[in-house]
Amino acid sequence: MEKPLAGKCHKEVWFGILVSFVLCFTILCFDYSTSMLGVYNGVNLLVRRVHPYITRDSCYGRYIYVHDDLPAKFNDDLLKNCQNLTTGSKPKNSDTQNMCRYIVNLGLGPEIEEPEGVLANESWFITNPYLLEVIFHNKMKQYKCLTNNSNQASAIYVPSYVGLDASLHLWDFNLTVRDYSAKDLVGWLSGKPEWKKMWGRDHFMVAGRTSWDFRRQKENSSDWGTNLRFLPESMNMSMLSVEGSLWKNDFAIPYPTNFHPKNDSDVVQWQNRVRSQKRPFLFTFVGAPRPDMKDSIRGKLIDQCQASSNCKFLHCGSSGINCNNPVTVMRVFESSVYCLQPPGDSHTRRSTFDSFLAGCIPVFFHPATAYTQYLWHLPENHTKYSVFIPVKEVEDLKEGIIEKTLLGISKHEALAMREQVIRLIPNLVYADPRSKLETEDAFDLAVQGILERIENVREVIRERKDPSIGFADEDNFKFTFPETPE
């Protein structure tokens, strides 16, 4: 009587194993099927069922597809012909230096061989800010969430060196010549299958020049810039550059400084150095006057600095000191508590990020120099890391107001601001593309920002709304002063 019962139990055990196997197989197949990319209103959605014992993809929502098939004339060929590229804001001629010296080390420039005791380690280079687009591209090559499948991508990066390209013809009176490359670029992009997913709204590019250099509104040769950002296709894309414009599809990211750390210890060592630095000057200004700009406050600012025994003025330019030497600039900034950062040829300045790097508290006079620009990289509460002296008109910069304002800040408040400035350093520098920091650098925060921007557009589409509404609208708030109570 016992044998039939044992046989029955044996069959039930095998039946249970078989059912369990089928169930597990079904779950795995379902998980795989729900991991596939579906298309909803032309937008790729990644839907993934996550089980307790299955690890979620760490790159979920962060994949970037790069247009590596972009014709070389838009990037690599420009570097091969670097002798035609100018290093500054003047047209290339026999008297101006070309860019060839600065494209070495993946765009970081030549290493600084004589730090003169001012710069602490080997992570310092002579970096030209116009090469941000090259540095960004080389860092993107090391980005851990790259994908060759554009359907999997959350964003699509266009590795065009639009700033270097534009510099070849920015001063050309023939607008057809000046705009030719821009039209050629968007024509190539709009013909690619990736374009049709979101009609370019998941595409972004990077420029080492201000956004204004690509926003000529009139067909007048005397007006500055190319018309790249007003081309219909380009208006569907986002641009990251050292200074944003009035339009909502332009975003500011930090100017590259001369410090490109190879590891986290480089950053910590530098932070400790500037934290312990003696600062004999209350405030300093490094720059040159703008006598041809009637709205510039620099003349009066320099007068106030020179009238004070608490201020150090470093006169840059043809009639002054060569401030292209990082050692010269950093020596002064490291010796000062506050660094004056008035607008220059445009609202923003590379000098702002040099002062952060030196642990020198920036003093701003216009909100568009930093507060309404670098929203992904600087804290919203600007009083924690800077001083704001609002100057709407030149006449507003009353005699002695700068020194009076700074002397009115307690040492305790100044130390707290300086510490916040020093803590921000990792977020404002671009690490050496040949290395990777554990902490986020300026590149990481820029990528995070653009991914969030594009995901917001996807959310609009999922809600069956028109993604073009507000995408490239004007935003005058960026260049206006905040309302103050009477």
Side-chain angles (χ1 to χ4, degrees):
M1 294 296 294
E2 294 178 357
K3 288 184 178 179
L5 181 60
K8 182 179 179 180
C9 291
H10 183 72
K11 289 179 180 179
E12 288 178 349
V13 170
W14 278 105
F15 180 77
I17 293 174
L18 178 62
V19 170
S20 298
F21 176 80
V22 172
L23 181 61
C24 289
F25 182 78
T26 302
I27 290 173
L28 288 172
C29 288
F30 182 73
D31 181 72
Y32 178 77
S33 66
T34 56
S35 296
M36 296 299 97
L37 286 163
V39 178
Y40 178 72
N41 280 352
V43 183
N44 295 300
L45 304 177
L46 183 63
V47 184
R48 192 170 189 266
R49 183 182 179 91
V50 181
H51 301 289
Y53 302 107
I54 299 177
T55 303
R56 183 170 179 168
D57 183 357
S58 63
C59 287
Y60 176 77
R62 300 169 56 203
Y63 281 110
I64 293 180
Y65 175 84
V66 180
H67 270 302
D68 286 327
D69 56 341
L70 187 71
K73 62 183 176 181
F74 295 117
N75 46 41
D76 289 344
D77 286 353
L78 292 166
L79 300 184
K80 290 178 182 177
N81 296 296
C82 57
Q83 68 277 2
N84 297 323
L85 301 172
T86 178
T87 59
S89 57
K90 296 181 180 180
K92 180 72 184 71
N93 57 50
S94 58
D95 297 325
T96 58
Q97 192 176 22
N98 66 48
M99 194 68 84
C100 294
R101 179 189 179 208
Y102 299 95
I103 66 173
V104 300
N105 291 316
L106 303 183
L108 303 183
E111 289 192 59
I112 295 176
E113 298 179 355
E114 298 181 8
E116 300 179 25
V118 176
L119 312 178
N121 49 45
E122 298 178 353
S123 296
W124 289 82
F125 301 80
I126 302 177
T127 303
N128 187 291
Y130 292 119
L131 289 173
L132 171 61
E133 52 212 48
V134 179
I135 297 170
F136 197 99
H137 185 196
N138 284 316
K139 288 188 67 65
M140 183 62 77
K141 291 176 182 178
Q142 306 302 320
Y143 180 63
K144 69 176 183 178
C145 294
L146 293 178
T147 178
N148 292 324
N149 181 0
S150 61
N151 288 324
Q152 189 183 33
S154 295
I156 295 178
Y157 169 54
V158 182
S160 175
Y161 302 158
V162 291
L164 297 180
D165 197 354
S167 70
L168 294 172
H169 303 291
L170 274 175
W171 295 269
D172 201 310
F173 282 98
N174 188 327
L175 295 184
T176 301
V177 173
R178 201 191 301 179
D179 297 335
Y180 175 81
S181 185
K183 293 179 180 178
D184 195 16
L185 173 65
V186 299
W188 184 89
L189 288 170
S190 61
K192 301 292 290 182
E194 294 81 13
W195 184 263
K196 297 176 177 60
K197 289 193 302 177
M198 291 178 66
W199 301 106
R201 292 186 183 91
D202 56 352
H203 285 51
F204 73 99
M205 51 189 168
V206 178
R209 305 187 70 94
T210 71
S211 295
W212 300 105
D213 290 345
F214 311 95
R215 286 197 174 274
R216 189 190 73 250
Q217 298 190 59
K218 299 178 181 178
E219 292 303 298
N220 187 328
S221 61
S222 62
D223 283 0
W224 178 253
T226 75
N227 69 347
L228 169 64
R229 298 298 284 141
F230 288 117
L231 296 176
E233 298 88 349
S234 180
M235 290 178 69
N236 281 6
M237 294 191 287
S238 298
M239 173 183 276
L240 314 184
S241 60
V242 293
E243 179 177 324
S245 67
L246 286 172
W247 287 266
K248 291 183 178 180
N249 57 341
D250 286 339
F251 300 89
I253 60 177
Y255 283 78
T257 63
N258 300 289
F259 182 50
H260 304 284
K262 295 180 175 63
N263 50 58
D264 291 87
S265 63
D266 283 353
V267 178
V268 173
Q269 289 173 12
W270 179 254
Q271 287 175 304
N272 289 336
R273 175 187 174 86
V274 295
R275 185 177 284 118
S276 61
Q277 198 76 26
K278 292 183 179 180
R279 299 178 183 271
F281 300 109
L282 176 64
F283 61 112
T284 189
F285 175 61
V286 175
R290 294 288 189 274
D292 297 331
M293 296 175 64
K294 64 177 183 178
D295 296 328
S296 176
I297 66 171
R298 289 195 176 199
K300 295 187 70 173
L301 182 148
I302 291 171
D303 289 343
Q304 291 195 27
C305 180
Q306 292 181 315
S308 170
S309 59
N310 289 319
C311 186
K312 172 68 174 178
F313 171 47
L314 193 65
H315 187 181
C316 304
S318 57
S319 59
I321 296 171
N322 177 18
C323 293
N324 291 325
N325 183 350
V327 174
T328 303
V329 174
M330 294 302 291
R331 178 182 284 114
V332 176
F333 280 175
E334 288 176 40
S335 302
S336 306
V337 178
Y338 301 98
C339 290
L340 307 184
Q341 299 296 343
D345 296 326
S346 62
H347 284 92
T348 63
R349 302 181 73 205
R350 170 181 172 160
S351 177
T352 293
F353 298 96
D354 289 335
S355 67
F356 273 106
L357 191 56
C360 187
I361 303 165
V363 179
F364 298 117
F365 302 86
H366 196 292
T369 303
Y371 303 149
T372 60
Q373 291 281 351
Y374 308 101
L375 304 182
W376 299 338
H377 295 79
L378 294 176
E380 185 176 356
N381 187 349
H382 60 79
T383 61
K384 290 187 175 182
Y385 67 86
S386 67
V387 177
F388 184 45
I389 302 176
V391 180
K392 292 184 180 180
E393 306 291 341
V394 177
E395 294 74 23
D396 295 339
L397 193 64
K398 303 300 183 182
E399 184 176 350
I401 189 173
I402 298 175
E403 184 171 24
K404 181 180 179 181
T405 300
L406 300 181
L407 286 173
I409 301 172
S410 70
K411 290 186 177 180
H412 175 75
E413 291 175 300
L415 284 173
M417 280 192 285
R418 185 191 306 161
E419 182 58 30
Q420 181 64 16
V421 166
I422 293 171
R423 288 177 181 174
L424 286 171
I425 289 175
N427 297 343
L428 304 179
V429 298
Y430 297 90
D432 192 318
R434 295 162 291 194
S435 61
K436 174 66 179 174
L437 302 185
E438 294 298 322
T439 54
E440 292 179 321
D441 72 347
F443 170 85
D444 295 319
L445 293 179
V447 168
Q448 177 181 319
I450 195 64
L451 287 171
E452 291 176 358
R453 149 79 166 178
I454 295 171
E455 181 55 31
N456 288 338
V457 177
R458 283 198 175 90
E459 184 61 31
V460 169
I461 297 174
R462 286 195 284 269
E463 294 173 355
R464 298 181 180 276
K465 298 177 182 178
D466 185 352
S468 67
I469 297 176
F471 184 89
D473 287 0
E474 289 187 52
D475 179 14
N476 290 304
F477 167 76
K478 187 180 291 185
F479 296 92
T480 57
F481 283 80
E483 293 293 330
T484 55
E486 296 293 337

